[in-house]
Amino acid sequence: MPYWNPEIETMDQKGLRQIQNEKLVKIVKYVYDCSPFYKKRFDEFGVKPEDIKSIDDIGKLPFTFKKDLRDTYPTGMFCVPDKEIVRFHASSGTTGKPTVVGYTQNDLDAWAESLARGMTSINLGTDDKIQVSYGYGLFTGGLGIHYGSEKIGAATLPISSGNTERQITLMKDLDVTAICCTPSYFSYLIEAADHMGCSIKDQTKLRVGVFGAEPWSESLRKRIEERSGIKAYDVFGTSELSGPLFTECTEQKGMHIWADLFLFEILDPETNEPVKDGEVGEMVVTTLAKEALPLIRYRVGDLASVETAVCPCGRTHPRLMRLKGRSDDMIIVRGLNVFPGQVEYVLVKFPEVSSHFMIVIDRVGELDSMTVQVELIDMASDKLDDYYKLKSKIEHELQSILNLHAEVEFVSRGTIPRSEGKAKRVTDNRKYQD
């Protein structure tokens, strides 16, 4: 079994705990001294750095929320001056403002290190050619995987997303051995290749797929592996934590989360108390090594479980099992985070429609589709042309906020169900569970 950093990856539990103790104490003092945001948050919560002596004291610290990143836009939570920032990434926000993440050079090195460990654990290395079909740019997926690929010495094909025919042609002609993209896009690639008369299973050298950025099930994994002949591995990360960070190993029994870089808690979302090993709860993460934007007890919002038993591969770090959903109202469509609040932000600009809407997510073939059902109140004109112009304007605004196309469907007033409690804004017709 190959290891990228065998000393760390196979360190005993006592050693890992000691590292976490030392790094937690250090990072808490660091954010208190360097981040006005965290100093204020800690003071309001009645906790001082000297109160934290080990990871047993983690519960004394306040939570951090995605809303905090939005409220301090763009760099109000950063711990370093601008001159030390070497990279920015950003993700869409609920009101049009992105969530901005900054990196020092050490942050980028740690990010690449995390992925180098994961990619090595699925037998990728200098003999491989890795096709990175995640989006490049402000989205963290493409560049994150890219630098992990280069770190392990693989030949990297930075093709980004889209242009499917070219993806297949280069995969075949360059003898690509691994691909990184969303599972739905790879399923689409399989179909598209068949239509081109090119069997990925029989006419390419592809043997590994690293799939993430959207929920997927074990049944989809099996279908992908059967149809393409590859081994399909899960990858997890969020833009706030860096981007894609953790992969499964060849055992396919959970994603190794590096305890020397991150401290994971799995909490009951109602009581905020830790759940038992292997039970599902809300993921809460503390970064132990980040410089530009360290996060203390960040509530990711994903529901998951963690296994702490040593993996059959020999790695001793905890394993994050397949995600079970969200504790908030965020949905993931084609690898992008979508919040109902973003849709509401757009619709209130148009007096012709009501504030009631429904987001309908379907899977058409192998790809996700998104429709926004909107109640039409009043049109100044009854001309069909004006109707389509309004539809086009709303779709254009949604595209600019969501970074993906959403079809607008007008419905009669009163059609969208009303609720006395929290409004139901999403109908997700996709099936992820077995």
Side-chain angles (χ1 to χ4, degrees):
M1 168 61 66
Y3 299 101
W4 177 256
N5 188 335
E7 181 181 356
I8 288 291
E9 293 172 51
T10 62
M11 182 175 287
D12 61 35
Q13 298 294 325
K14 183 178 179 181
L16 286 176
R17 182 181 177 86
Q18 182 59 31
I19 288 177
Q20 288 192 319
N21 286 339
E22 293 172 359
K23 288 193 171 184
L24 179 63
V25 170
K26 184 178 179 181
I27 200 69
V28 167
K29 186 178 188 309
Y30 175 71
V31 298
Y32 190 82
D33 292 342
C34 301
S35 168
F37 167 83
Y38 273 117
K39 184 178 188 307
K40 181 181 178 184
R41 177 64 57 87
F42 283 16
D43 288 345
E44 290 173 346
F45 207 69
V47 63
K48 299 291 185 183
E50 53 266 28
D51 297 329
I52 308 302
K53 297 177 173 59
S54 74
I55 60 175
D56 291 334
D57 297 319
I58 190 73
K60 297 178 181 179
L61 294 167
F63 294 111
T64 307
F65 303 88
K66 189 156 190 172
K67 182 178 183 297
D68 295 324
L69 291 163
R70 298 189 189 111
D71 291 345
T72 57
Y73 173 88
T75 60
M77 288 180 63
F78 285 24
C79 286
V80 298
D82 287 351
K83 66 181 181 180
E84 294 185 29
I85 300 293
V86 297
R87 171 94 63 80
F88 287 106
H89 281 287
S91 62
S92 58
T94 58
T95 60
K97 284 186 177 180
T99 298
V100 176
V101 182
Y103 306 77
T104 65
Q105 186 57 55
N106 286 336
D107 290 338
L108 293 182
D109 292 343
W111 187 8
E113 166 74 16
S114 180
L115 282 167
R117 295 180 194 178
M119 296 171 93
T120 300
S121 77
I122 52 177
N123 288 324
L124 293 176
T126 54
D127 293 332
D128 286 289
K129 299 174 183 177
I130 300 178
Q131 183 166 326
V132 183
S133 299
Y134 286 113
Y136 278 68
L138 289 177
F139 176 61
T140 55
L143 283 169
I145 294 289
H146 180 109
Y147 283 99
S149 174
E150 290 190 339
K151 181 87 170 177
I152 63 173
T156 307
L157 177 61
I159 196 166
S160 193
S161 55
N163 206 334
T164 300
E165 185 172 332
R166 190 181 186 193
Q167 298 256 4
I168 296 164
T169 299
L170 289 176
M171 180 191 299
K172 180 181 178 182
D173 293 348
L174 292 178
D175 291 332
V176 168
T177 57
I179 186 168
C180 307
C181 61
T182 64
S184 60
Y185 184 63
F186 185 70
S187 296
Y188 178 68
L189 277 176
I190 296 172
E191 286 189 346
D194 288 342
H195 291 147
M196 290 171 60
C198 173
S199 167
I200 288 179
K201 187 173 186 177
D202 299 322
Q203 295 178 258
T204 76
K205 298 289 182 64
L206 201 68
R207 64 181 184 83
V208 168
V210 182
F211 305 127
E214 66 186 16
W216 60 306
S217 64
E218 281 298 317
S219 59
L220 179 56
R221 187 211 298 267
K222 291 176 183 176
R223 185 170 63 167
I224 284 174
E225 291 184 340
E226 289 171 356
R227 294 177 66 193
S228 65
I230 71 170
K231 294 291 287 184
Y233 298 101
D234 209 352
V235 61
F236 173 78
T238 73
S239 59
E240 298 82 28
L241 298 178
S242 275
L245 286 163
F246 316 115
T247 74
E248 293 177 301
C249 66
T250 52
E251 296 290 332
Q252 295 179 311
K253 294 179 179 178
M255 294 167 277
H256 289 278
I257 49 181
W258 309 116
D260 59 316
L261 301 176
F262 299 89
L263 176 59
F264 270 61
E265 301 172 80
I266 304 296
L267 305 180
D268 183 317
E270 298 297 327
T271 67
N272 292 329
E273 292 297 319
V275 301
K276 294 179 181 179
D277 195 44
E279 290 186 356
V280 174
E282 182 182 352
M283 190 190 312
V284 178
V285 184
T286 298
T287 62
L288 297 176
K290 289 190 72 176
E291 295 178 336
L293 185 58
L295 295 172
I296 303 298
R297 303 195 82 194
Y298 178 66
R299 301 193 75 135
V300 179
D302 290 310
L303 296 176
S305 63
V306 165
E307 298 284 352
T308 57
V310 175
C311 181
C313 77
R315 290 172 177 82
T316 54
H317 295 244
R319 283 168 290 142
L320 177 66
M321 311 312 285
R322 190 176 293 281
L323 303 187
K324 301 298 183 182
R326 296 284 304 178
S327 63
D328 57 20
D329 58 356
M330 189 189 82
I331 51 177
I332 300 175
V333 183
R334 297 193 180 187
L336 297 175
N337 296 344
V338 175
F339 292 88
Q342 294 172 301
V343 175
E344 185 175 61
Y345 174 76
V346 170
L347 296 181
V348 296
K349 297 180 181 181
F350 296 90
E352 299 93 340
V353 300
S354 82
S355 60
H356 300 285
F357 64 91
M358 178 67 70
I359 300 170
V360 181
I361 310 297
D362 284 294
R363 178 146 285 172
V364 179
E366 301 293 349
L367 295 178
D368 295 339
S369 70
M370 176 174 168
T371 300
V372 179
Q373 296 177 339
V374 185
E375 290 189 353
L376 196 60
I377 298 177
D378 186 32
M379 288 279 288
S381 167
D382 58 0
K383 293 181 179 178
L384 194 59
D385 186 52
D386 293 332
Y387 172 92
Y388 283 112
K389 283 181 180 178
L390 176 62
K391 171 179 158 67
S392 179
K393 286 180 181 178
I394 297 176
E395 288 176 348
H396 177 76
E397 286 290 317
L398 288 171
Q399 173 85 39
S400 68
I401 294 296
L402 304 176
N403 293 316
L404 61 84
H405 175 71
E407 186 78 16
V408 169
E409 176 187 340
F410 290 130
V411 297
S412 301
R413 193 169 188 177
T415 301
I416 305 298
R418 271 55 169 172
S419 172
E420 294 182 1
K422 184 177 179 180
K424 177 177 170 57
R425 299 294 200 189
V426 180
T427 300
D428 193 342
N429 297 321
R430 299 169 295 184
K431 301 296 182 184
Y432 298 119
Q433 303 302 318
D434 297 322

